Amino acid sequence: MTEMLYRSGQESQPGGFDERITADAGRTSPIEWVRSRRAERGLRREEAAHSRLYRRIGNLIGHLGDEWHVLDLRELSGDEHDSFLAVGPGGVFAVTVKDHGRSRVSFAGDVVQIDGKRPKYVEEARREARSAAESLSRSAGVSIPVMPVLAFAGSGKISFYGVPKGCLVTAYHELPRILNARGTRLTVETVDKVFALATHPATWFTADYGQLAEDYRWYPDGEHVGTDKRGHAE
């Protein structure tokens, strides 16, 4: 069959045929090229999104005040996170930031609707907070609650027909006011202890707490440990 592709009297495979096959075998196929381009674009978008998040963290620190600590969860844990940890007098918060541009955001309980779509933003925010709480509590040896916060960075209107339970929702520019409005639930000593715990590598990469939990125990035996709420309103 192959011989029919060549004139009569010529070899079925002209000279240099094997060489051409060998040379072409090392070239990237069009499908592989398209896949690599998509992967590169996805990586650039991810890096740009993280850069925006990092700038927002710096901006937030300036508005919250010196008594607050704000930490990038991706840098802390090494996992893919688009959220950050805020530790201050009002408590411990895992803040997930979403860009919605000019689109309107509607809430009906846990259901979020943007441009006809229903992204699982509330579930994602709760998952980030739960993961942070588990890591901090495991290392401390006591329960450290972390409140999920969903902050929208955009100019579109946010409307509510029912708010999600156990999750704060706000426009990003209102975030400092929302966090400071939580009052004083933790003492300065407690905030510093939780911050030190959050920045310790063992918190995010070690299964057992060991000596780290003992370092976190700053009250004498028989007194309160962990989150200090003595003398502060709930």
Side-chain angles (χ1 to χ4, degrees):
M1 183 68 179
T2 306
E3 294 178 356
M4 296 176 62
L5 299 177
Y6 302 95
R7 294 181 180 178
S8 176
Q10 292 183 346
E11 295 181 357
S12 60
Q13 295 182 354
F17 181 82
D18 292 339
E19 289 76 7
R20 290 198 301 274
I21 291 295
T22 302
D24 291 343
R27 298 176 61 183
T28 303
S29 69
I31 295 178
E32 292 174 344
W33 181 83
V34 170
R35 288 174 178 171
S36 65
R37 293 287 292 176
R38 287 178 177 174
E40 291 174 1
R41 286 197 297 268
L43 183 60
R44 287 197 296 267
R45 285 196 297 267
E46 182 180 328
E47 291 176 348
H50 190 241
S51 295
R52 288 195 298 271
L53 182 65
Y54 204 79
R55 290 195 298 271
R56 286 170 182 154
I57 290 175
N59 179 265
L60 183 62
I61 292 174
H63 286 84
L64 280 175
D66 296 336
E67 64 271 23
W68 284 84
H69 302 283
V70 184
L71 304 164
D72 186 351
L73 279 174
R74 178 182 296 193
E75 292 186 357
L76 291 175
S77 65
D79 296 329
E80 295 298 321
H81 292 283
D82 291 324
S83 57
F84 54 85
L85 196 70
V87 183
V92 186
F93 305 87
V95 183
T96 301
V97 183
K98 295 297 181 182
D99 288 299
H100 67 293
R102 299 180 180 179
S103 300
R104 179 174 179 174
V105 182
S106 299
F107 275 86
D110 291 357
V111 179
V112 186
Q113 183 162 315
I114 304 175
D115 294 332
K117 299 179 181 179
R118 294 184 176 181
K120 304 294 184 179
Y121 287 165
V122 175
E123 294 180 12
E124 180 182 344
R126 286 174 176 158
R127 185 170 59 250
E128 295 282 1
R130 184 167 57 250
S131 176
E134 289 174 353
S135 296
L136 292 169
S137 300
R138 180 183 63 238
S139 294
V142 294
S143 177
I144 299 181
V146 178
M147 172 69 73
V149 181
L150 189 55
F152 287 93
S155 59
K157 183 180 179 181
I158 304 176
S159 57
F160 295 90
Y161 302 95
V163 296
K165 295 181 179 180
C167 181
L168 299 178
V169 180
T170 180
Y172 180 78
H173 67 273
E174 292 286 337
L175 188 56
R177 183 182 65 82
I178 294 297
L179 295 185
N180 279 318
R182 302 288 292 179
T184 303
R185 296 167 179 252
L186 303 180
T187 65
V188 175
E189 292 79 8
T190 302
V191 171
D192 290 341
K193 285 289 183 179
V194 175
F195 171 69
L197 190 68
T199 55
H200 199 295
T203 297
W204 310 98
F205 299 105
T206 305
D208 56 347
Y209 55 88
Q211 183 59 40
L212 190 59
E214 295 301 320
D215 294 340
Y216 187 72
R217 192 185 302 272
W218 65 94
Y219 293 119
D221 290 340
E223 297 187 22
H224 289 73
V225 296
T227 302
D228 177 19
K229 294 184 178 179
R230 295 182 301 173
H232 301 296
E234 291 292 332

